[in-house]
Amino acid sequence: MRNDPVMNPEMSSSSPGVCRCACKAAPHDPGRRQTLAGALAVLVPATALGQAGTRKPEPGDRLTFQADDRQGQPLKLADLVVGAAPTMAYPVDPTSGKALVSRANLLTVTRIAPDALKPTSAKNAADGVVAFSALCTHAGCPVTSLHPSKTQLVCNCHGSVFDACDRGTVINGPATRRLAMLPLALKDGVLTIAGRFDGPIGPPT
């Protein structure tokens, strides 16, 4: 299926002050600002990707909502709808029951029709649900939006677009590196982690 290209973020010389980034291609969503604001609230300087003592996601960790009135509750398959905006999540240590809150552990989770997934993403998905590091590989902004194609993730800061159906590969820059993907599984309807990130997270250093 052909997806129309999304403009890279830049200012049009013919229309000064008009942004042509990918966020302009998405339909108006009153909740998108809240989602972005919630993700931005956890950001720290790029030199401090994780909090002291906070480990990385490990197999067996379950997922929990990052924000809103469900913060801390288990993220279940039933909570996610195909084509809906991504859900921001954190892994939870099964021993302590505490969310592993750090910038490096912030995840963007979305559900896609399973038959739309390519093998590169399907092997890491749980009934169409895929999870990626939420850190854009351009400048570390949170990737919080879904492209109108319903299969691509968008960073609203600078307009980078990533293919959720193909292991987070870059569709449009300025990002040049794909998003790291986190394998998922289902346990009693709750989304759990089945492996480690399959690549580096955040911007190149």
Side-chain angles (χ1 to χ4, degrees):
M1 178 177 69
R2 178 181 176 272
N3 290 325
D4 292 334
V6 179
M7 298 297 293
N8 284 342
E10 58 182 324
M11 306 303 287
S12 171
S13 58
S14 60
S15 302
V18 177
C19 175
R20 295 190 294 160
C21 69
C23 61
K24 294 298 183 182
H28 176 64
D29 180 1
R32 190 179 67 189
R33 289 181 180 270
Q34 294 180 349
T35 302
L36 181 57
L40 285 171
V42 303
L43 293 185
V44 293
T47 54
L49 284 179
Q51 297 176 354
T54 302
R55 67 167 174 79
K56 297 178 181 179
E58 297 284 348
D61 293 348
R62 62 176 174 82
L63 297 189
T64 184
F65 289 90
Q66 178 262 330
D68 72 28
D69 58 349
R70 295 177 292 180
Q71 184 175 2
Q73 295 180 17
L75 180 58
K76 301 178 180 180
L77 178 67
D79 294 318
L80 302 175
V81 178
V82 173
T87 296
M88 311 308 291
Y90 282 126
V92 172
D93 186 324
T95 302
S96 67
K98 294 182 178 180
L100 302 174
V101 178
S102 75
R103 184 185 179 192
N105 288 343
L106 184 62
L107 305 172
T108 183
V109 184
T110 192
R111 189 173 184 180
I112 296 171
D115 59 1
L117 296 174
K118 295 182 179 180
T120 49
S121 279
K123 66 179 182 180
N124 292 325
D127 204 358
V129 179
V130 290
F132 296 89
S133 166
L135 297 184
C136 181
T137 55
H138 169 239
C141 296
V143 177
T144 61
S145 293
L146 196 66
H147 187 271
S149 66
K150 305 300 183 183
T151 62
Q152 299 168 1
L153 298 167
V154 180
C155 175
N156 283 318
C157 287
H158 303 102
S160 294
V161 182
F162 304 90
D163 190 353
C165 291
D166 188 15
R167 207 179 170 208
T169 54
V170 178
I171 300 296
N172 278 88
T176 58
R177 186 171 73 193
R178 71 176 182 86
L179 295 175
M181 193 173 191
L182 193 63
L184 296 180
L186 284 171
K187 185 176 181 180
D188 299 325
V190 176
L191 290 160
T192 60
I193 296 173
R196 296 177 176 84
F197 280 121
D198 67 354
I201 65 172
T205 56

